[in-house]
């Protein structure tokens, strides 16, 4: 019998409020019966058919773009038109990716070479050289322009020279794409003129930073500043202009110095001038993801050992604080044992692929399997999902990260399981995202409603990784092993490192511990993925249900004084230890349970305890209150969530004004009743665009505050965990914005419809017990007032003449 490490998870209850728990007590409890060989191998015939289907999918979307949208930056697949900056209705900050420089075509050039279509590649390169210009008075994202446009031009230049030599085609090409990349690179350089060396988030392609809209620019995200080096180093080494690589190295050095020295974690949003952290949340998803990716890949491409040392320091911290079994949970960089949110975002799906590249297969398999089950549960991986795998943000933008990790896991293990996973993803795209003009993003995975959006990365990455997954190396014109993929899946040759670093000398004084360079790379022959996946197979509720929940003891019903409840939790493998002062410690062991089914019930019970703990330990200062008093009714006090943008109501801060429903209700397009909204509290429906975009629009319309209400049926503060509405790092919202779940919102909406002049008060929420007591006192006071009024009226009638 093999030795199995046992995991015990410690809980602390204070009146059934847990402070800490880890969910995965049984995750690694493998059994001796697990098979050590792959199953369900895919035939060569089926694999070839899927490869050709993925090729057809690419051309369906590519032809739609070329026929209906080019030279626009993006295709709008529902309206069959192109998306142009300044012409198509604005989507706010989301449009910072657009520069009116035919982005989708540039981003897609190297995919044509992967597919072996040299004729179309040559045609597309000629179009880019002829049509694309960068002298545009447009503010663009430095990060997105670098990874999509600079990376796309460089990769296409490298492959154009490659096919010249290997296939004796494009003999006319003389490096025009490299000159275009250099021109664009120089246009991005003004963003790096900061005291820290960390670039601004945005820059004007024509005027640099010398425009009024950028005068107060100071915030950027870690990924935005730390995802420059691969492209800029390649640009310097191919063009002979050292400035690009110098600037990128300086930015990476500045970011490294900003890590928390105790935890080695990074935050997500920072001030480019002072170097101060603005948001200290740390994870591997949105706002930080590709910084870690570029730490490792900069070492692989450039051979600079500083970046290997930095990556391993960060990686060890992530595995210590953020990785919780297969889940990756955000923490505070300066308080790494403190979780910061109750959901994970879809961008973290790249992480298993990066773990494969670093040689750490086991956790890569675990996290990928968790993500796959989430995909099976919701058809697509939602933009964000909660710890219990429910939808948090329902959009699916056809992102490539999960398919990317699937590809790398297949290449590392040869396990045909990952071909089956890729097939599942491919068929989902075909069934639920394909439209006559390409592929449309899904606005909500719960309804399947489409969105008029097809990002350039769908052609650059999503279909590229699908095609590569189902291809043999012999199917390709080039040897992929000789290239590294950028974060946008552009190919840079490893030979770039041999050109020498003309721009930067390794700092001899930078201290690195030898442990920073040591990583173990387990052999896939000894660690076959099936042995890791098997214990996770039924992780996501609803995928493979095996336990009846009809008579299961739920955490919310648990009473420590109930003997039957104590007996039940004991059967589930849970023991209780009294710590005094009303505190109890729970210990869960998979092996102490009465049966495997009881053990799984225990795991579910512990998960519920975590959710109960989180709901009971939300800082009271974060919650806001919406109060009003209808005619002849008592004072209503509705619990509301705060936002990560705009001012938070604290202390004695109070806003009282009439509420006005906005038109359109979700205010994702221009306001139609701005005059009516001026000086009032805007009532806004959730959905279709970001919270902060809604806030900006009603603020521009003159609203003094806003209430966003949920559009999901039956949600309530009583059955959901309250959350803070996310922003985008910019602090231009100056009005308070609060959030109401559906059932609480219905109370408010009904009252406003009954009395359009109803005054609403926004204020910080008092202690919940005190709030309930005040509500009861108000109700009693109203009742007494009505009784006294009735008695007075009755008494008067008796004495009337």
């Amino acid at each position: 019998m093999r030795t199995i490490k046992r995991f015990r998870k410690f809980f602390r209850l204070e009146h059934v409020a847990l402070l800490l728990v880890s969910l995965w007590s049984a995750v690694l409890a493998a059994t001796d019966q697990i098979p050590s060989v792959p199953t369900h191998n895919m035939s060569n015939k089926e694999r070839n058919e899927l490869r050709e289907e993925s090729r057809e999918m690419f051309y369906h979307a590519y032809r739609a773009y070329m026929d209906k949208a080019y030279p626009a930056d993006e295709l709008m697949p529902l309206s069959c038109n192109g998306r142009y900056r300044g012409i198509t209705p604005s989507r706010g900050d989301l449009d910072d990716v657009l520069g009116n420089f035919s982005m989708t075509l540039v981003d897609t050039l190297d995919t044509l070479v992967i597919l072996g279509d040299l004729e179309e590649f040559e045609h597309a390169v000629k179009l880019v050289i002829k049509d694309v210009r960068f002298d545009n008075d447009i503010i663009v994202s430095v990060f997105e322009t670098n990874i999509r446009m600079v990376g796309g031009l460089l990769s296409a230049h490298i492959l154009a020279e490659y096919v010249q030599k290997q296939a004796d085609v494009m003999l006319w090409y003389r490096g025009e794409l490299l000159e275009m990349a250099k021109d664009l690179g120089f246009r991005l350089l003004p963003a790096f003129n900061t005291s820290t060396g960390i670039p601004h988030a945005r820059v004007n392609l024509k005027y640099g930073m010398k425009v009024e809209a950028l005068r107060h620019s100071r915030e950027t995200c870690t990924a935005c500043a730390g995802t420059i080096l691969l492209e800029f180093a390649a640009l310097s080494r191919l063009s002979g202009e050292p400035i690009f690589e110098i600037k990128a190295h300086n930015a990476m050095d500045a970011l490294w110095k900003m890590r928390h020295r105790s935890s080695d974690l990074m935050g997500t949003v920072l001030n480019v001038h002072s170097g101060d952290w603005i948001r200290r949340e740390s994870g591997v998803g949105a706002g930080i993801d590709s910084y870690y990716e570029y730490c490792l890949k900069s070492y692989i491409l450039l051979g600079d050992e500083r970046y290997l040392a930095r990556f391993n320091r960060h990686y060890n911290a992530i595995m210590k604080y953020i990785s919780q079994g297969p889940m990756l949970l955000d923490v505070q960089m300066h308080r790494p044992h403190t979780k910061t949110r109750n959901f994970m975002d879809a961008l973290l799906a790249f992480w298993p692929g990066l773990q494969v590249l670093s040689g750490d297969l086991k956790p890569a398999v675990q996290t990928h399997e968790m993500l796959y089950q989430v995909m099976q549960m919701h058809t697509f991986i939602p933009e964000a999902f909660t710890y219990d795998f429910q939808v948090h943000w329902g959009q699916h933008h056809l992102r490539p990260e999960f398919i990317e990790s699937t590809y790398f896991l297949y290449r590392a293990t040869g396990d045909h399981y990952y071909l089956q996973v890729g097939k599942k993803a491919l068929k989902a795209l075909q069934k639920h995202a394909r439209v006559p003009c390409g592929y449309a993003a899904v606005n909500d995975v719960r309804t399947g409603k489409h969105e008029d959006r097809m990002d350039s990365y769908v052609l650059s990455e999503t279909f590229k990784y699908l095609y590569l997954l189902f291809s043999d190396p012999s199917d390709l014109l080039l040897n992929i092993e000789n290239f590294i993929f950028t974060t946008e899946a552009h190919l840079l040759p490893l030979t770039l490192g041999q050109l020498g670093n003309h721009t930067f000398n390794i700092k001899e004084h930078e201290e690195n511990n030898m442990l920073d360079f040591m990583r173990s790379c387990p052999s896939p022959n000894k660690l076959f993925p099936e042995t890791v996946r098997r214990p996770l197979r039924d992780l996501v509720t609803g995928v493979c249900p095996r336990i009846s929940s009809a008579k299961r003891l739920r955490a919310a019903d648990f009473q420590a004084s109930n003997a039957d409840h104590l007996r039940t939790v004991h059967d589930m493998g849970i023991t209780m230890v009294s710590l005094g002062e009303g505190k109890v410690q729970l210990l869960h062991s998979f092996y102490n349970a009465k049966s495997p089914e009881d053990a799984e019930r225990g795991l579910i019970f512990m998960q519920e305890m975590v959710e109960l703990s989180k709901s009971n330990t939300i800082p009271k200062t974060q919650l806001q209150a919406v109060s009003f008093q209808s005619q002849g009714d008592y004072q209503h006090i509705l619990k509301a969530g705060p936002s990560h943008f705009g001012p938070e109501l604290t202390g004695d801060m109070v806003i009282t004004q009439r509420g006005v429903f906005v038109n359109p209700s979700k205010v994702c397009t221009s306001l139609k009743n701005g005059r009516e909204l001026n000086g009032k509290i805007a009532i806004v429906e959730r959905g279709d665009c970001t919270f902060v975009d809604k806030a900006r629009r009603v603020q521009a319309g003159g609203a003094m505050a806003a209430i966003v209400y949920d559009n999901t049926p039956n949600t309530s503060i009583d059955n959901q965990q309250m959350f803070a509405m996310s922003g985008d790092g910019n602090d231009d919202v100056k009005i308070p914005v609060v959030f109401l779940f559906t059932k609480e919102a219905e109370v408010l909406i009904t009252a406003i419809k009954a009395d359009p002049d109803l005054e609403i008060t926004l204020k910080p929420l008092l202690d919940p017990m005190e709030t309930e007591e005040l509500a009861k006192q108000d109700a009693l006071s109203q009742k007494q007032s009505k009784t006294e009024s009735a008695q007075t009226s009755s008494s008067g009638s008796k004495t009337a003449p």
Side-chain angles (χ1 to χ4, degrees), residues 252-253 256 295 306-314 510:
M252 291 293 277
D253 289 343
W256 173 247
C295 281
R306 285 175 302 161
Y307 295 110
L308 176 62
R310 292 174 184 180
F311 172 78
N312 284 329
R313 291 275 289 276
H314 287 316
E510 184 167 326

Side-chain angles (χ1 to χ4, degrees), residues 527-600:
L527 175 66
F528 203 82
E530 175 66 12
T531 64
V532 180
R533 290 194 303 264
R534 180 67 176 273
L536 301 171
R537 193 58 49 82
D538 300 329
L539 183 65
V540 177
T541 303
V543 175
C544 300
R546 298 190 310 189
I547 300 174
S548 170
S549 60
K551 298 182 179 180
R552 181 176 59 81
L553 175 63
R554 302 181 185 277
D557 302 326
F558 174 72
Q559 296 178 356
S561 59
N562 187 310
D564 290 335
H565 288 184
L566 293 177
R567 190 178 303 109
T568 300
V569 296
H570 181 268
D571 289 344
M572 292 190 294
I574 300 170
T575 57
M576 301 179 60
V577 179
S578 175
L579 302 178
E581 299 180 355
K583 299 176 183 178
V584 179
Q585 185 179 72
L586 295 187
L587 311 177
H588 181 226
S589 170
F590 198 83
Y591 305 98
N592 291 339
K594 189 175 180 180
S595 68
E597 291 75 17
D598 284 314
E600 293 189 33

Side-chain angles (χ1 to χ4, degrees), residues 3 50 74 94 174 187 208 295 314 316 380 399 469 490 507 559 576 589 646 668 678 764 768:
T3 301
L50 290 168
E74 289 180 351
L94 188 61
R174 292 293 183 271
R187 294 177 186 277
C295 281
H314 287 316
N316 291 334
F380 295 108
R399 293 193 184 278
L469 175 63
H490 294 308
K507 294 182 179 179
Q559 296 178 356
M576 301 179 60
S589 170
C668 293
N678 188 43

Side-chain angles (χ1 to χ4, degrees), residues 58 78 94 138 161 191 193 216 233-234 244 315 339 373 444 462 527 747 774:
F58 168 84
L78 299 184
L94 188 61
I138 292 177
E161 292 194 333
N193 294 330
H216 300 292
F244 303 111
Y315 186 81
K339 301 292 184 287
Q373 293 189 43
D444 194 320
T462 304
L527 175 66
V747 176
L774 281 175

Side-chain angles (χ1 to χ4, degrees), residues 732-756:
D732 53 343
V733 177
K734 306 302 180 184
I735 62 173
V737 184
V738 303
F739 178 84
L740 287 176
F741 283 117
T742 304
K743 288 193 174 180
E744 285 75 24
E746 287 172 351
V747 176
L748 175 63
I749 292 171
T750 300
I752 295 175
K753 289 181 177 179
D755 179 10

Side-chain angles (χ1 to χ4, degrees), residues 552-708:
R552 181 176 59 81
L553 175 63
R554 302 181 185 277
D557 302 326
F558 174 72
Q559 296 178 356
S561 59
N562 187 310
D564 290 335
H565 288 184
L566 293 177
R567 190 178 303 109
T568 300
V569 296
H570 181 268
D571 289 344
M572 292 190 294
I574 300 170
T575 57
M576 301 179 60
V577 179
S578 175
L579 302 178
E581 299 180 355
K583 299 176 183 178
V584 179
Q585 185 179 72
L586 295 187
L587 311 177
H588 181 226
S589 170
F590 198 83
Y591 305 98
N592 291 339
K594 189 175 180 180
S595 68
E597 291 75 17
D598 284 314
E600 293 189 33
R601 289 190 182 93
L603 190 60
I604 295 171
F605 179 86
M606 294 304 233
Q607 284 181 275
E608 292 178 346
M609 278 293 190
V610 174
E611 296 303 319
L612 186 63
S613 167
K614 289 184 292 189
S615 65
N616 287 343
T617 57
I618 296 176
K620 297 169 187 175
T621 55
Q622 290 184 353
L623 290 178
Q624 311 282 280
V626 176
S627 68
F628 62 91
Q629 184 170 350
S630 303
Q631 293 181 358
D633 198 0
Y634 64 88
Q635 183 84 4
H636 292 271
I637 302 176
L638 307 175
K639 296 178 184 177
S643 62
H644 282 308
F645 51 85
E648 181 181 350
L649 299 172
T650 58
D652 297 328
M653 296 173 62
V654 170
I655 292 179
T656 301
Q657 189 48 264
R658 186 166 67 87
V660 173
F661 293 102
V662 298
N663 183 16
S665 63
K666 294 181 181 178
V667 71
C668 293
T669 55
S670 299
L671 271 170
K672 297 180 180 179
N673 62 337
R675 290 185 178 180
E676 183 184 357
L677 192 63
N678 188 43
K680 305 300 189 298
I681 297 175
I683 313 295
V684 184
E685 182 182 0
R686 180 183 187 177
D688 291 355
C689 58
T690 62
F691 291 121
V692 69
D693 283 341
K694 297 175 189 289
R696 290 190 180 108
R697 287 191 176 93
V698 298
Q699 176 177 270
M704 65 186 305
I707 300 171
V708 179

Side-chain angles (χ1 to χ4, degrees), residues 56 86 108 192 217 336 419 446 585 619 644 655 773:
E56 187 279 331
T108 303
F192 290 80
S217 170
L419 295 179
R446 291 164 292 196
Q585 185 179 72
H644 282 308
I655 292 179
E773 187 62 32

